[in-house]
Amino acid sequence: MRLVGSAITTAVLILGFAAIAQQTGPGGSQPPAGPPPSESPPANGSQPQVDESALRYFASQGDTRRVNAEIARLRALYPNWTPPSDLSQLSAGAAAPPDPIIERLWNLYREDRIAEVRAAIAERQASDSNWKPPEELVAALETVEARRRLVNASDSGQWQTVLSVATEAPGLLTCTNVDVLWRVAEAFARTDQPTRTRDVYTYLLTNCANPAERLATLQKALTLLPEQQVADLLQFERRTGDAPDDFGSIRDELARRRVERASLDSKMTASAEDLAAVERLIRNTNEAGPVLILGWYNYHHGNPARALELFKTALDRDGGAKAAEGYAMSLRALERLTEAEAFAYEWRERAPENMKVYLDIATALLSQDPPPRLEARVVARIVPVVTAQRFADAAQALGWYSYNTQQIRTARDWFRTALNWKPEDEPSAYGLALSTQRLNERAAFNAIVAQWRERSQRIADLADAANPRSGRRSAPVQPRAEMEAAPRQAAIEIEQPLVRTEEAVRRRQSEARSVLGRSCAMTRNPAGLSGDAALTRGWCLMEINRPLEAVAAFDRAIATGSGRVREEAAYGKSLAYLRKNLTSEAAVAAAEAPQTRSRQVELGASILTQRALAAYRDKRYVETLLALSERARLVPEQNDLLLIRGWSYFNLGRYKDAERVFRAVQQTGYSEEAGVGLNAIREATDQASP
Amino acid sequence: MTFRVSRRALLLPWLIAMLSFVMVMSASSQNLSVQPLKIAGTVSSADWEAYRSRFVEDSGRVVDTANGNISHSEGQGYGLLLALAASDRRSFEQIWNFTFTELLIRDDGLAVWKWDPEAKPRVTDRNNATDGDLLIAYALAKAGEFWQEPRYTAAARKLAKAIGKNTFGHSGRSRVLLPGANGFGAGDRPDGPVVNLSYWVFEAFPVMAALAPEYEWNRVWRDGVLLLQQAASGRVRLPADWLSLQSGLQPKPADGFPPEFGYNSLRIPLYLLRAGMTDLEWLRALKQRWSAENEGVAVVNVVTGQAREQLADQGYAMLHAALACALDGTPVPAALRTFELSLYYPSTLYLLAKSLLGEKYPQCVSSAAP
């Protein structure tokens, strides 16, 4: 009897089922194992070519038994195949009349009514115990039942059953039952036998011809096997013949995975080829997935600008929280912290990672050096989030921010809060020590020192410097020069000097922002803009806190605009420089166009305030006093600046002047801070004249 | 104490087991006996044909018509048992084919319990239900013997071993039948082990013990009877369907289940009668309660004693009639003599009871009876 070539080759030998390996085909002659791929039967789409010649031959001979046997065999091989309808004509005039029950059983079998075939056999045997069903039919039934059990078991994750059924019915493991082979492969993988899984796929790719099934095999391998093994399977790609393979999508997927792995590890680099594959995926789909991968790759490989673009694309492709996380982190990496904070704030509730990023960015924003000048509303929205999340690092950052903006009591409270949330946080403890010392809160200062001096040298040093007589070095009275090393800082809460100014232009800025929308955030050359447009753009850039770019826009407005525009642009430009603490540039800008008297005063006062504060921070007390005096000629000196003046005198050793200033402040209500100054003077003069 | 055994020769392991059982039970005043049922030929072809055409599909699937037309291992087990009772080899083979290919797919050799024609995959709960497994194995064993079919006997043996291996649990010093291989043991839930007394298909135990003698069938069986006596010793004298054995042999209603003597437990007296265990005092009390003058057959809250739902179907009334017949020789009332199809479950109970009466108590159903 003729066999249908390699199609009937079962996977038993290769799969290690050799012990029970049997040929399902009747006649049982062993086909050559593993014929070369080129000899595989040609595949015609997904419908295999069924060789019916033997069937027709038996039919023409009137050999019903063999006809039925052949039908059974072909049915087992090709579940979707139906026998030709013209067989009865071929067998017309044949000798033996067919057994009617056999006919009926085969009909039921063809209709897949397996339980009824079994029932009819049982019924017939009950009435005639000598009757036996055709062996071929029994074999065919067993094959169908085995396939059902195997499929059901695999659908329910019963992998041992899958393997035991396959072992007992090796005839199932042929290229005509690729689905069964896939399920057996998965069962091996799910029972920790990946090598066997690979063997099944290897068998399939070596012997089975259908290109769609071959590709699907690799897709399944991707979900079950380590990537290297999948890559090894690519060698079976058939590049020639009637139906060549195209495993390109598998190669792309492997490349995508390699880039994905490298995307989170800055020490791993992806090959240019792999990166190109991901770029191709980005172009050919609308998925956010590959964009995100490339975004993270760039982020972790020193290209945050490109990462930012990619995350923007991912956001446009509904990449969601993950894209937002990347976008915010890229902004941060680009040191565009103000934008990063505003963006991350909007996304903070989307996922825990987004909240984490927001808190990190807020912390970074607050911790910039030199200390930034933040809009009140930004600080105001950071605070409740930090409080709700009990995020100690941001609390500490709020402490330093307050401290550096001379809001010492607020700083003290934040450091205390940070310590509550993270009791072992030395920097917060140091901040608390500094603030309590500045506030002259002896008990609190001593408490924190007592708690930390064994663990923190700098806190111990702080205590020793504050109280030299208890210092470890039995040094005599510290000379004044050395006191300068840790100069008395003003325990003053200074208003942000520009708040009033910003109030005046806020409306202008936010109008510009709403006119331009998101486009104002895009870096572009203002050359070519009209004066009005450049002005609007300048204000818009001020609104999103990119003052240096605003300067360029204002310059354009000054160059091309009308008188009114030029005046406003010059004003804006000096505000922009003030934001960056570039007071000289601000002063020059203010003079670029005539200003109204009130704006002259406003700008001048702002510039001088910043100069005074900057000089004071740098301990250039003489310059501080000069700037303050100049400012006082324009506008009355407010209490916080008076205190700066007082401390400048103090640090210059001009105690009488300092005392006069502090007393004046004390009378207007800033008694506590003034009191600190007066105490300091008393201490200093006591030391100076023992 | 009396101890009646069947006149049939008993297998040696069974005899040994029974002797140990007697020794344990000597402390109790309870008298028990086991009389194997023949089963085959005890349901008329008319009754079976009515049942089969309503509840059994051509694929061999037994359909629970009150339960979204799903199938389950219990239904397949009952279907096999009733096909055997009707001596319907054809239907038995059909039902077995479905059971084998669709349900007997678990790695541990037990049957998945739930199959839903509307779902994909059809198996919607791959856990087993031990009563379903027991019923299937028992029906296969009896059919293999009756029809001399080694395929059935081999399948019965395989399943019996799987039951013994995977569903016997410990509760203190007793051995219990867990309702499923997973999820009911002492470590699986806070109130575990949890058992269901109606899963003890008492008549199946000796048959299982012969097929898989390496497991402690007789001890599980005996401890089941003890548990039943414990659980029925409260004020209401009814066990809850689901019992927590967390505190040893002092069973309490299990968490998450209504504390009810419900549809599950209704079967317990039927199983006892079918196993020939008619001497349990509890059956007498139950017969009283179930009589028409009293409460009738009902779902009862075992804490308050209140009946939540009266069960009027023929199949439930038949349970009381069988008790009255077995304990007092009361003939089955005329209204219950003719099978009226209802839903799957009461119809099944009816035929199981009628099969028993036909085999063991023909006088209660003979035409000569009033």
Side-chain angles (χ1 to χ4, degrees), chain A residues 304-332:
Chain A
R306 174 80 178 117
L308 188 72
E309 289 171 14
L310 286 159
F311 287 124
K312 172 77 179 60
T313 307
L315 279 170
D316 293 343
R317 292 185 180 189
D318 293 328
K322 208 67 202 155
E325 186 188 341
Y327 190 79
M329 287 171 71
S330 302
L331 281 174
R332 182 189 165 172

Side-chain angles (χ1 to χ4, degrees), chain B residues 95-319:
Chain B
I95 298 168
W96 164 239
N97 191 260
F98 182 91
T99 310
F100 176 61
T101 55
E102 299 294 322
L103 304 188
L104 270 174
I105 56 171
R106 279 172 57 99
D107 285 348
D108 59 11
L110 299 170
V112 296
W113 83 267
K114 190 175 182 187
W115 194 98
D116 184 345
E118 302 299 322
K120 189 122 183 103
R122 301 279 160 67
V123 174
T124 50
D125 189 340
R126 63 185 71 159
N127 285 300
N128 75 306
T130 307
D131 65 333
D133 296 317
L134 261 182
L135 288 165
I136 293 166
Y138 176 54
L140 283 169
K142 298 297 276 188
E145 189 186 349
F146 179 69
W147 283 310
Q148 292 298 302
E149 174 54 82
R151 276 192 300 135
Y152 298 159
T153 309
R157 177 172 290 111
K158 217 167 160 182
L159 189 48
K161 287 178 188 296
I163 296 168
K165 183 170 182 201
N166 296 292
T167 72
F168 289 180
H170 288 277
S171 168
R173 274 161 45 203
S174 21
R175 285 290 257 164
V176 294
L177 187 68
L178 293 172
N182 305 106
F184 295 94
D188 297 331
R189 38 183 291 156
D191 63 341
V194 162
V195 298
N196 185 320
L197 286 171
S198 77
Y199 282 34
W200 268 261
V201 183
F202 292 111
E203 68 195 277
F205 278 72
V207 179
M208 296 297 108
L211 287 172
E214 64 271 38
Y215 298 103
E216 296 181 277
W217 296 95
N218 307 307
R219 206 170 138 204
V220 172
W221 177 53
R222 178 202 75 202
D223 288 347
V225 177
L226 289 174
L227 255 178
L228 173 61
Q229 288 170 320
Q230 289 274 356
S233 65
R235 189 175 59 82
V236 181
R237 300 215 62 191
L238 292 174
D241 283 351
W242 296 93
L243 292 169
S244 159
L245 304 184
Q246 196 191 10
S247 45
L249 276 182
Q250 196 53 254
K252 294 192 172 54
D255 294 341
F257 297 97
E260 285 178 345
F261 175 82
Y263 288 95
N264 277 289
S265 300
L266 292 171
R267 300 179 286 187
I268 299 172
L270 177 62
Y271 287 161
L272 288 169
L273 294 186
R274 285 181 60 97
M277 299 157 70
T278 51
D279 293 346
L280 260 85
E281 184 49 37
W282 178 65
L283 288 175
R284 225 155 252 293
L286 193 63
K287 190 203 68 182
Q288 281 307 129
R289 175 187 283 273
W290 275 359
S291 72
E293 303 87 69
N294 290 315
E295 194 172 68
V297 179
V299 174
V300 180
N301 184 308
V302 301
V303 180
T304 65
Q306 297 221 305
R308 181 171 66 73
E309 191 185 351
Q310 300 293 333
L311 304 175
D313 262 313
Q314 199 192 31
Y316 306 119
M318 192 65 163
L319 295 176

Side-chain angles (χ1 to χ4, degrees), chain A residues 104 113-116 118-120 122-123 125-126 144-146 148-150 152-153 155-162 168, chain B residues 58-60 89-91 93-94 97-98 100-109 112 120-121 123 126 149 151-152 158:
Chain A
R104 195 160 62 80
R113 293 159 67 179
I114 302 304
E116 289 166 83
R118 285 287 191 192
E123 189 177 36
Q125 282 180 320
V144 173
E145 286 164 358
R148 283 191 185 175
R149 293 191 73 225
L150 188 146
N152 288 331
D155 282 347
S156 289
Q158 304 298 304
W159 308 113
Q160 294 294 352
T161 302
V162 171
E168 285 159 23
Chain B
D58 287 343
S59 63
R89 178 82 196 272
R90 187 189 153 83
S91 297
E93 180 71 25
Q94 222 162 343
N97 191 260
F98 182 91
F100 176 61
T101 55
E102 299 294 322
L103 304 188
L104 270 174
I105 56 171
R106 279 172 57 99
D107 285 348
D108 59 11
V112 296
K120 189 122 183 103
V123 174
R126 63 185 71 159
E149 174 54 82
R151 276 192 300 135
Y152 298 159
K158 217 167 160 182

Side-chain angles (χ1 to χ4, degrees), chain A residues 75-76 78-83 104-118 137 140-148, chain B residues 58-60 94 97-98 101-102 122:
Chain A
R75 276 281 313 179
Y78 309 102
N80 297 324
W81 174 78
T82 44
R104 195 160 62 80
L105 291 178
W106 280 111
N107 284 335
L108 286 170
Y109 173 83
R110 270 191 284 278
E111 289 164 26
D112 211 24
R113 293 159 67 179
I114 302 304
E116 289 166 83
V117 183
R118 285 287 191 192
L137 178 62
L141 284 173
E142 282 171 356
T143 302
V144 173
E145 286 164 358
R147 186 194 292 122
R148 283 191 185 175
Chain B
D58 287 343
S59 63
Q94 222 162 343
N97 191 260
F98 182 91
T101 55
E102 299 294 322
R122 301 279 160 67

